[in-house]
Amino acid sequence: MSSTPRATLGVLWGKSDPHTSLLQHLLDTAAVAERIWDGYLAPAVRDRLDTCSGGRGRSLLALLCGLHDLGKATPAFQDKVPPLADAVRATGLHWRSLSGSARSWHHPLAGALIARTVLSSAGWDTPTIRWVWPLIAGHHGMVPGADAIRPPTPDAHGRGPAWGGCQHDLVDAVAEALGLDLTTIAPTSTPRR
């Protein structure tokens, strides 16, 4: 983890009713992915993930599933529930008033952009990132084209180093909780059919 205090990461919300922190929601999802790997995932899928990750398919699946709602770490999402937004602002993460298209920056698209940025900075190669980001962008059932991964305004995604650092640190926190180093868990190839 770099610079964002854990308390700040804990204030970002992932579910409003019942209130669940975003980090907890991401870690819960990663834990479910591990359970799916252990008892339910088809052997052929496990083999493909193991093959592309040097035998670390379970960890890769947990990480990618854990990052599914990463795009909720943006003003466009955090602004949706005013009392929860006020708590986020109190940590020092600020944003301008959002309206129109800025309010509609969807978290799956935002998550894909954050994943592309953070995984690239961790040394993941372009072909790998090309098959990973659609998993996050399409987790609600529609995989968009690469041209859709552009925020309508910088304010919708989070302007400045505080938001960028927080988004990066959230990815690091998920990886750290899973005992992973982002620089070494990167798949070495694309899963093939």
Side-chain angles (χ1 to χ4, degrees):
M1 296 256 321
S2 59
S3 60
T4 307
R6 287 275 178 165
T8 299
L9 292 181
V11 171
L12 294 172
W13 62 277
K15 300 287 183 185
S16 62
D17 186 23
H19 178 263
T20 305
S21 80
L22 178 54
L23 181 57
Q24 185 62 54
H25 175 59
L26 300 179
L27 295 176
D28 288 348
T29 304
V32 170
E34 290 174 331
R35 182 65 188 110
I36 288 170
W37 178 278
D38 293 342
Y40 302 99
L41 198 63
V45 176
R46 285 197 310 265
D47 289 345
R48 287 187 188 134
L49 288 171
D50 268 339
T51 298
C52 81
S53 66
R56 299 177 70 191
R58 183 178 190 267
S59 294
L60 179 61
L61 179 69
L63 176 66
L64 296 178
C65 290
L67 298 180
H68 80 289
D69 267 353
L70 183 57
K72 291 182 176 181
T74 59
F77 186 85
Q78 294 298 308
D79 196 52
K80 291 180 183 293
V81 178
L84 298 176
D86 291 344
V88 173
R89 281 188 168 103
T91 70
L93 289 171
H94 298 285
W95 60 92
R96 296 176 187 171
S97 180
L98 302 174
S99 61
S101 64
R103 292 190 65 78
S104 66
W105 176 229
H106 295 289
H107 75 271
L109 301 176
L113 179 57
I114 295 167
R116 283 189 346 193
T117 302
V118 174
L119 298 178
S120 178
S121 73
W124 290 38
D125 64 26
T126 301
T128 299
I129 292 170
R130 276 192 201 124
W131 70 261
V132 165
W133 75 257
L135 301 174
I136 295 168
H139 80 265
H140 281 281
M142 295 265 298
V143 179
D147 59 327
I149 313 300
R150 288 191 194 102
T153 69
D155 290 316
H157 192 70
R159 184 188 296 267
W163 273 103
C166 181
Q167 293 162 348
H168 193 273
D169 291 347
L170 188 60
V171 175
D172 285 346
V174 172
E176 180 183 298
L178 293 170
L180 302 175
D181 178 344
L182 287 176
T183 63
T184 62
I185 189 62
T188 56
S189 64
T190 302
R192 301 284 180 203
R193 289 182 193 187

